[in-house]
Amino acid sequence: MNADQRQPFLTVVKGAPTDEELAALVTVLSAAASQQTGPASAGPLNRWGRPTDLHRQAWGMPTSYIHG
């Protein structure tokens, strides 16, 4: 299939956009298509201050060490 037989990348079906508007739209769509879909950082997660930590039992209390 040569360049003349390919389907158009973008088709305007309503309105009359200017050349600048079409260029901006193509730029945004191209940038979105080239972005990675994976996580931004592969480093360790920082879970400091999570709300679930407030529900944990406090250590060092007399009831923390129950022996038999």
Side-chain angles (χ1 to χ4, degrees):
M1 190 182 271
N2 64 25
D4 296 332
Q5 296 174 342
R6 287 188 282 165
Q7 294 293 325
F9 169 72
L10 185 67
T11 304
V12 177
V13 294
K14 188 174 183 181
T18 64
D19 290 340
E20 291 83 15
E21 291 171 335
L22 284 175
L25 181 61
V26 169
T27 301
V28 169
L29 291 176
S30 298
S34 67
Q35 287 182 347
Q36 288 183 338
T37 57
S41 174
L45 295 177
N46 184 0
R47 294 185 174 162
W48 179 259
R50 292 184 304 164
T52 55
D53 291 338
L54 299 173
H55 302 289
R56 292 189 177 151
Q57 185 178 17
W59 291 96
M61 302 295 290
T63 58
S64 297
Y65 303 101
I66 300 174
H67 298 286

